[in-house]
Amino acid sequence: MPNLSLAEAHALAAGAFRRCGASPAAADSTAQALVAAEADGLKGHGLSRVPSYAAQLRTGKVVGDAGVVVTRPRPGLLAIDAGYGFAYPAIDAALAELPELARRQGIAAAGIHRSHHCGAAGLPVETLAEAGCIAILFANTPAAMAPWGGNRAVFGTNPLAFGCPLPGRAPIVIDLALSKVARANIVGAKQRGEAIPEGWAFDAEGRPTTDPAAALDGTMAPLGDAKGTALALMVELLAAGLTGARFAAEAGSFLDPVGDPPGTGQLILAIDASALSPGAPERFAALAAAIEDQDGARLPGSRRFALRARAAQDGLALPDALLAEIAQLG
């Protein structure tokens, strides 16, 4: 089958979501985020998510017609209720207001609760960086990592992302999970019937495993050992404790249609990049140049931008089985 254009991929995913009960706005927002992740080479957050998202729509684990409610408890703060729907419409609501708030106040933040999987966390911070903000996103996810020295999962893989504007060019984008690898990589390995490398995860008994199914029933290895679990605690407190969302151990899975909505949270910070020093963007550019001047070095996010440009030109190559499954949904 020939590659799908980005527009065709969007129509395919959005149509599946609408057939399974999503409102047109939620379907379009979610499809846009998944197609963007797929184009950036982040397949674990891309169109492979459509069947599981659709299954959750059908059982009500994701509320397809949830209305996003935005309130302002303080002048520079947005409190956003995702209504147990997809995270993407709530994130869109935050991105619509944060740049102007940050320009006016110097700094602004949006806390999202009753939310769901936020996908590729680098995409929202990239949008804010393109609007002239330094941006940080914290997201908690269902329990997957034990505290250092423990054996029971109380933290998610808890991604965090950072975006920094550069004058006249694409921003710096850092996007990482606090497990040694993103959980989506293990999900993908299970779907493909492949083993995972040693050191990625532990089984339910706390033993290292290369079996992705055993890994998904066990816990993830943290990035940087004890340092990774300390950062996961920080993200848990910011994304869930501060926003009123569910902690990781209270949240249902993002992957299956069983049980209550996950109800996780996200916290997004936006700082006007020129608020403290008018020359800051040029200083950012000078540091970026010092990195890129070295053979073999590159800025975080640059590989994604190259893959995105190729996808815009050549389209997306998707497995026939996935295309057929999405087309039949609903």
Side-chain angles (χ1 to χ4, degrees):
M1 181 174 180
N3 289 359
L4 292 184
S5 71
L6 300 187
E8 289 169 337
H10 179 277
L12 179 72
F17 293 143
R18 287 195 297 272
R19 293 193 302 273
C20 291
S23 68
D28 284 345
S29 174
T30 303
Q32 181 178 348
L34 298 189
V35 171
E38 188 80 30
D40 283 4
L42 304 172
K43 294 184 178 296
H45 295 308
L47 294 168
S48 65
R49 292 273 179 173
V50 174
S52 65
Y53 278 14
Q56 292 174 70
L57 280 169
R58 290 196 299 267
T59 63
K61 191 172 183 178
V62 172
V63 178
D65 59 354
V68 175
V69 178
V70 181
T71 56
R72 290 196 183 181
R74 299 287 191 278
L77 294 178
L78 304 175
I80 301 179
D81 183 354
Y84 295 127
F86 287 120
Y88 307 105
I91 292 171
D92 289 345
L95 300 184
E97 296 197 41
L98 281 174
E100 177 57 31
L101 277 179
R103 280 190 288 270
R104 190 185 317 150
Q105 304 271 136
I107 185 170
I112 302 172
H113 70 287
R114 300 209 301 172
S115 192
H116 195 269
H117 176 242
C118 73
L123 293 171
V125 298
E126 179 186 342
T127 297
L128 290 170
E130 288 174 340
C133 295
I134 290 177
I136 309 174
L137 183 150
F138 306 93
N140 83 314
T141 64
M145 290 200 306
W148 192 249
N151 57 15
R152 187 178 72 255
V154 296
F155 306 132
T157 57
N158 289 11
L160 57 88
F162 171 82
C164 180
L166 295 175
R169 57 176 294 189
I172 295 170
V173 177
I174 299 169
D175 179 357
L176 52 88
L178 294 177
S179 51
K180 191 166 288 186
V181 298
R183 193 170 174 85
N185 293 341
I186 295 180
V187 174
K190 181 183 178 184
Q191 292 171 340
R192 296 188 299 270
E194 298 173 357
I196 59 173
E198 289 186 10
W200 279 17
F202 306 96
D203 66 15
E205 304 301 320
R207 298 171 300 205
T209 183
T210 60
D211 179 352
L216 292 172
D217 288 336
T219 59
M220 303 287 291
L223 178 71
D225 298 333
K227 294 178 181 178
T229 54
L231 288 171
L233 170 60
M234 177 192 76
V235 173
E236 200 74 43
L237 294 170
L238 289 170
L242 183 63
T243 67
R246 289 176 180 159
F247 287 127
E250 301 168 335
S253 172
F254 289 157
L255 302 175
D256 63 52
V258 179
D260 293 332
T264 52
Q266 294 90 31
L267 178 70
I268 307 174
L269 304 180
I271 305 169
D272 185 337
S274 300
L276 295 174
S277 170
E282 286 69 31
R283 296 285 291 152
F284 302 154
L287 181 55
I291 294 167
E292 293 181 313
D293 189 49
Q294 301 184 42
D295 289 341
R298 60 180 176 85
L299 292 177
S302 58
R303 177 178 175 273
R304 291 169 55 181
F305 296 140
L307 291 172
R308 182 184 304 175
R310 187 183 309 162
Q313 176 178 316
D314 300 336
L316 299 173
L318 299 170
D320 289 342
L322 177 61
L323 289 173
E325 184 178 9
I326 294 174
Q328 293 169 5
L329 287 170

